[in-house]
Amino acid sequence: MNKILVTGGAGFIGSNFVRYLLQAEPGAQVFNLDLLTYAGSLENLKGLPDEARHNFIHGDICDTGLVARLVREQQIDTIIHFAAESHVDRSILGPAAFVQTNVMGTFTLLETARQVWGGDFHGRRFHHVSTDEVFGSLSPSDPAFSETTPYDPRSPYSASKAASDHLVRAYFHTYGLPITITNCSNNYGPRQFPEKLIPLMVLNAVQGKALPVYGDGRQIRDWLYVEDHCEAIYLAARHGKPGETYNVGGGNQPHNIDLVNEICAILDELRPAAQPYATLIQHVTDRPGHDRRYAMDISKIRAELGWLPRHDIETGLRETVAWYLENPAWVQAMLGQDGYDSWLEKNYGQREKAN
Ligand code: NAD
Ligand code: TYD
């Protein structure tokens, strides 16, 4: 039986991945280590398929003793590492936690794997989940990021993820640790904390609150439905070549403002209000160092692992908006969380409005 440690499995992508994994590997035992920061919630783990094979451990990936005990005593053979501080705006307002969790946490996991596995790496795998943001920002005519694009991170978040990617590769080259990395573009889908663009816009809109678009709203992200990302991670971890990196993206690249307008149009249909939701759009002061454009070249993962996104943005976005409307208990748990309102005030309170 495979014994798989998933870190950060109570967060957005991690919890979707735990669901995916329990179905993809009927023989696997899953150990989910998560600190339950503001971004992680046991709400995300309700109704798992085959719950008996899922074990939740509340703890910190930086806790060397805990991580070593877990890997040794449970005879973990596969580590899939999601746990991170993940929000760019929070990294601008408070970078320390990003260096601690993303760099030191990843180091702790790598070092534990090296020591507990003791050089016997047969049947073992360390998969690191990373981001396209390590590559920096593209101008409109630049080609999409490939696996060989030089790193050029520009926010404390992306710099900490870049540092962690370098450490993961160093453990392959220096110690032979069998690693794989996926660098993925922006995800969307169910259970994303409402600090990120899509759930924030949906939930602000239905509360009749302003929809804060940074700057001119002409920035571009490459959106991927979360389930497609889970499949890519699974394929890379199980069938990717040790030492290799795979770029993952959705090929959906709208301007932010067009995406927000599309969300408003879906809401106008699914939950009509007195005024069209787009009247709530408010351009506000831009994010400092805001990356203009991301795009991913996915030819390597397509050729080597046969992966392609299954969802287009039209159907994925509609399903996602509907999920937030149909899950009021989850929404209440997130919006009612201690610190959520003060986060909104801290991040949005000082921004000037441009329209
Ligand atoms: P998230 O913020 O929703 O979840 C992060 C999870 O990690 C939470 O459950 C949190 O409690 C946990 N965590 C944080 N610090 C921890 C610690 N010290 N010890 C243990 N657990 C801790 O993040 P997400 O959006 O699900 O992203 C998951 C991973 O995917 C991250 O590594 C992120 O960099 C990467 N990624 C995210 C996206 C995206 O669009 N969201 C895109 C590409 C890559
Ligand atoms: P976000 O979801 O924070 O992801 P990332 O910064 O990792 O790409 O933001 C997606 C895009 O939306 C990004 O260009 C910033 C923009 N944005 C807004 O315009 N307003 C907002 O309130 C937020 C949270 C994001």
Side-chain angles (χ1 to χ4, degrees), residues 72-91:
R72 190 181 310 107
E73 287 173 10
Q74 299 302 339
Q75 299 177 315
I76 298 293
D77 52 57
T78 305
I79 298 174
I80 314 233
H81 175 34
F82 294 87
E85 289 291 335
S86 70
H87 188 35
V88 174
D89 291 323
R90 288 191 194 247
S91 82

Side-chain angles (χ1 to χ4, degrees), residues 7-14 33-41 59-62 81-87 101 129-132 157 161 183-188 191-193 195-196 229:
T7 70
F12 164 49
I13 306 173
L33 173 63
D34 195 298
L35 187 57
L36 298 178
T37 67
Y38 77 93
S41 174
D60 192 336
I61 56 165
C62 301
H81 175 34
F82 294 87
E85 289 291 335
S86 70
H87 188 35
T101 290
V129 180
S130 193
T131 168
D132 59 354
Y157 165 64
K161 291 297 290 188
N183 289 86
C184 186
S185 61
N186 286 64
N187 284 212
Y188 68 98
R191 303 179 191 83
Q192 185 167 32
F193 192 76
E195 61 183 354
K196 306 279 168 57
H229 186 193

Side-chain angles (χ1 to χ4, degrees), residues 208-227:
K209 290 162 80 172
L211 307 181
V213 171
Y214 295 163
D216 63 3
R218 306 278 299 163
Q219 305 83 3
I220 292 177
R221 298 292 182 264
D222 182 346
W223 295 94
L224 179 69
Y225 193 67
V226 63
E227 224 173 77

